[in-house]
Amino acid sequence: MGDSLGKRFRILTFGESHGKAIGVVVDGVKPGLDFDLKSVQRELDRRRPGQSKLVSPRPEKDRVEVLSGVFQGKTLGTPICLLIPNKESDSKAYDDLRDVFRPGHAGYGVLKKYGIRDHRGGGRLSGRETAARVAAGAIAKKELAKDGIRVIAYTSEIDGITAQTIDLEEIEKNPLRCPDRNAAKKMEERVIFYKSQGDSIGGIVEVLARHVPPGLGEPIFNKLDAEIARALMSIGGVKAVEIGDGFQVARLQGSANNDQMDRHGFKTNHAGGILGGISTGQEIRIRIAVKPTPSIEKEQETIDIFGGERRLSIRGRHDPCICPRIVPAAEAMVALVLYDALLCQKDLEERAGTLEEIRAEIDSVDRQMIQLLARRNEISAKIGRYKREKGLKIRDPDRERTLLKERMTWATEVGINRELVQDLFHRIMKTSRGIQRR
Ligand SMILES: Cc1cc2nc3c(=O)[nH]c(=O)nc-3n(C[C@H](O)[C@H](O)[C@H](O)COP(=O)(O)O)c2cc1C
């Protein structure tokens, strides 16, 4: 039930960590697009385990297969199914964990909910599931790039060490995907230290979305920030999401937090590019809190499925810090949300632009004009009665001159063609005289 995301660009992921494969069905891709399998594979390569000593050594190649929706390199407009086989799952390593709940993992809740669970490597709730999202996200990223939109994520903090500079070129050059080379080295030392202690460490990943046009997001319940938070919180291990200044705003005054504007646009970006759930056209800035990897060698207390108390030390192939592997997953989730929102907005703009709808607008304005003219005629009749009672002349050239001059000034103010207004009021005044004489 909770395996799908999106309205116009929909994904549904499937598979478990130690099953045959994991994968995704992507629906809502336009027909006739170039399908770039290489870019999908490239994104998967960034996410896959075994890339350095700072991540899980599971030697999974994550070779993606296209099962449907693509013909001779072009999308068919039908659902695209991407499959990523699980080739290197070492299920034996989980035999000892069959009856025990691993601290920090979902096993207890899964068993209570379904009454059955796949104990091998987290099953459906394994970090491995994010490979399916990354594959779908690659398609979204490619389409967003056509509108100049770019989504970039990086590790910004581990164990209190923060990136001081944001050098985007540096991100893929170090194993923690930190944009500050010096901070990356210090972070690496910390991660290796915790790993040597049989422990793990959390961190913060930042996501930036650049050149997002203003107007994306569907108030009220599908606000852009709400959708982004939902998508990012759905990644295993993500415990909090901040947009813009996030929790920091709770300590600010309105005068400091408001993004003031001048004729060049917004002067600051505390809001993180979203106001009222709608993108403002500024950079979208997001931070996510990533928890320390729950599977650790350090012995911990837990229980088994029979309620017996146990002590547990988890060995095997685990990420000592999940941040570098969350980076591509976070980019994918933000790209999926933004592309869906972009398609929704394009639908809205197209809808407002049909000839019938524009004509309906004109019809409505004309109707209001005619109703106003009818009202004007009633007032003219009233004036006629008054003038007759008081024995006044119907035609008053001074009043007509002033009236016309005044209407022309109003026309200039709102930028309407003066000739049109002059002709119109000559005609209206003639009609008014006729009504007053009746
Ligand atoms: C890319 C990725 C890799 C992960 N690697 C591991 C891992 O090696 N070991 C582990 O115990 N948890 C790992 N996790 C975290 C667990 O999947 C997650 O903490 C667990 O499912 C519980 O969910 P929750 O933390 O969201 O509550 C990983 C998560 C992601 C997204």
Side-chain angles (χ1 to χ4, degrees):
M1 293 291 276
D3 301 282
S4 56
L5 178 85
K7 204 160 107 187
R8 277 284 279 98
F9 185 77
R10 284 187 299 273
I11 67 158
L12 182 142
T13 73
F14 58 88
E16 292 82 35
S17 161
H18 288 238
K20 266 204 158 155
I22 50 161
V24 61
V25 178
V26 186
D27 196 10
V29 184
K30 285 186 214 149
L33 299 178
D34 287 325
F35 182 75
D36 186 359
L37 188 62
K38 277 195 191 131
S39 69
V40 176
Q41 190 59 60
R42 217 173 15 251
E43 290 297 324
L44 282 169
D45 290 345
R46 289 177 69 213
R47 194 218 70 96
R48 75 178 166 79
Q51 295 177 66
S52 76
K53 58 179 184 289
L54 301 183
V55 296
S56 155
R58 178 169 167 170
E60 205 58 87
K61 287 275 176 287
D62 281 354
R63 288 274 154 239
V64 62
E65 292 171 24
V66 184
L67 294 197
S68 67
V70 180
F71 177 63
Q72 294 180 342
K74 298 264 183 204
T75 58
L76 288 169
T78 55
I80 297 177
C81 182
L82 303 175
L83 196 80
I84 305 146
N86 294 325
K87 299 234 171 179
E88 298 293 337
S89 45
D90 177 12
S91 302
K92 281 214 163 47
Y94 289 87
D95 282 354
D96 293 347
L97 299 168
R98 185 181 294 272
D99 297 333
V100 74
F101 297 120
R102 297 175 300 163
H105 277 281
Y108 181 80
V110 168
L111 194 63
K112 292 282 167 204
K113 181 175 174 64
Y114 299 104
I116 180 171
R117 71 173 180 139
D118 181 348
H119 65 280
R120 304 163 304 167
R124 178 83 183 121
L125 288 160
S126 160
R128 176 143 187 78
E129 181 272 334
T130 54
R133 305 154 183 244
V134 167
I139 302 176
K141 271 185 166 186
K142 193 99 189 149
E143 290 308 301
L144 286 172
K146 291 179 185 168
D147 280 76
I149 303 169
R150 198 173 160 209
V151 183
I152 313 139
Y154 50 81
T155 301
S156 73
E157 186 178 326
I158 289 176
D159 201 28
I161 298 157
T162 53
Q164 300 296 319
T165 52
I166 309 296
D167 175 3
L168 300 185
E169 299 300 315
E170 180 57 36
I171 299 171
E172 293 301 315
K173 290 186 186 156
N174 65 75
L176 288 174
R177 297 206 161 92
C178 172
D180 174 344
R181 186 186 300 200
N182 293 329
K185 279 195 196 114
K186 289 182 201 155
M187 288 177 185
E188 249 188 88
E189 282 165 21
R190 304 305 295 164
V191 174
I192 291 166
F193 168 75
Y194 287 111
K195 192 180 168 189
S196 72
Q197 302 292 299
D199 216 334
S200 62
I201 183 78
I204 293 176
V205 166
E206 266 176 28
V207 193
L208 307 176
R210 292 190 164 158
H211 313 299
V212 176
L216 302 196
E218 309 287 317
I220 293 298
F221 297 112
N222 300 339
K223 287 180 174 180
L224 192 60
D225 39 1
E227 293 289 310
I228 287 174
R230 188 171 102 87
L232 288 169
M233 285 290 279
S234 77
I235 302 175
V238 173
K239 298 318 271 183
V241 179
E242 289 188 324
I243 310 276
D245 287 357
F247 269 79
Q248 195 57 29
V249 301
R251 301 177 195 106
L252 291 180
Q253 293 80 46
S255 53
N257 182 54
N258 291 342
D259 296 313
Q260 299 184 49
M261 296 183 85
D262 63 15
R263 65 200 154 84
H264 305 294
F266 288 99
K267 295 171 83 173
T268 52
N269 187 12
H270 298 289
I274 303 172
L275 282 168
I278 302 172
S279 61
T280 62
Q282 287 186 287
E283 182 174 81
I284 295 181
R285 293 192 294 112
I286 310 152
R287 282 155 62 82
I288 56 179
V290 180
K291 80 179 193 183
T293 317
S295 298
I296 50 172
E297 271 188 48
K298 228 178 203 170
E299 210 175 66
Q300 294 193 294
E301 288 179 58
T302 186
I303 57 166
D304 59 29
I305 55 172
F306 312 107
E309 290 181 353
R310 301 266 293 263
R311 294 193 71 81
L312 188 67
S313 157
I314 301 176
R315 287 165 214 284
R317 305 175 301 188
H318 294 284
D319 297 301
C321 176
I322 311 172
C323 286
R325 299 196 56 220
I326 288 242
V327 164
E331 283 179 10
M333 293 319 288
V334 172
L336 288 165
V337 169
L338 288 179
Y339 187 48
D340 193 40
L342 187 72
L343 290 179
C344 287
Q345 182 60 15
K346 285 188 176 174
D347 283 353
L348 183 81
E349 282 164 13
E350 264 169 38
R351 249 188 289 136
T354 63
L355 191 57
E356 271 121 59
E357 268 162 343
I358 299 167
R359 281 181 174 159
E361 235 178 291
I362 286 258
D363 291 348
S364 154
V365 170
D366 286 355
R367 193 187 175 85
Q368 288 173 46
M369 270 178 9
I370 286 168
Q371 281 166 350
L372 285 172
L373 281 175
R375 184 134 178 261
R376 193 181 198 286
N377 287 350
E378 280 167 27
I379 300 169
S380 293
K382 215 160 130 186
I383 293 174
R385 280 196 298 278
Y386 183 91
K387 283 182 177 169
R388 280 196 303 277
E389 271 171 35
K390 304 280 176 191
L392 300 171
K393 276 206 283 180
I394 294 294
R395 186 156 200 185
D396 181 347
D398 280 351
R399 161 75 182 150
E400 284 187 7
R401 259 195 304 279
T402 321
L403 184 148
L404 204 59
K405 210 172 143 199
E406 203 172 39
R407 271 60 180 164
M408 302 291 274
T409 313
W410 294 346
T412 315
E413 276 170 14
V414 291
I416 297 182
N417 183 322
R418 287 167 62 90
E419 234 172 88
L420 169 72
V421 173
Q422 197 170 25
D423 288 354
L424 192 67
F425 275 92
H426 273 305
R427 186 107 206 141
I428 287 174
M429 283 188 297
K430 197 174 161 203
T431 308
S432 176
R433 283 197 299 269
I435 293 169
Q436 290 185 32
R437 284 198 182 101
R438 263 187 242 141

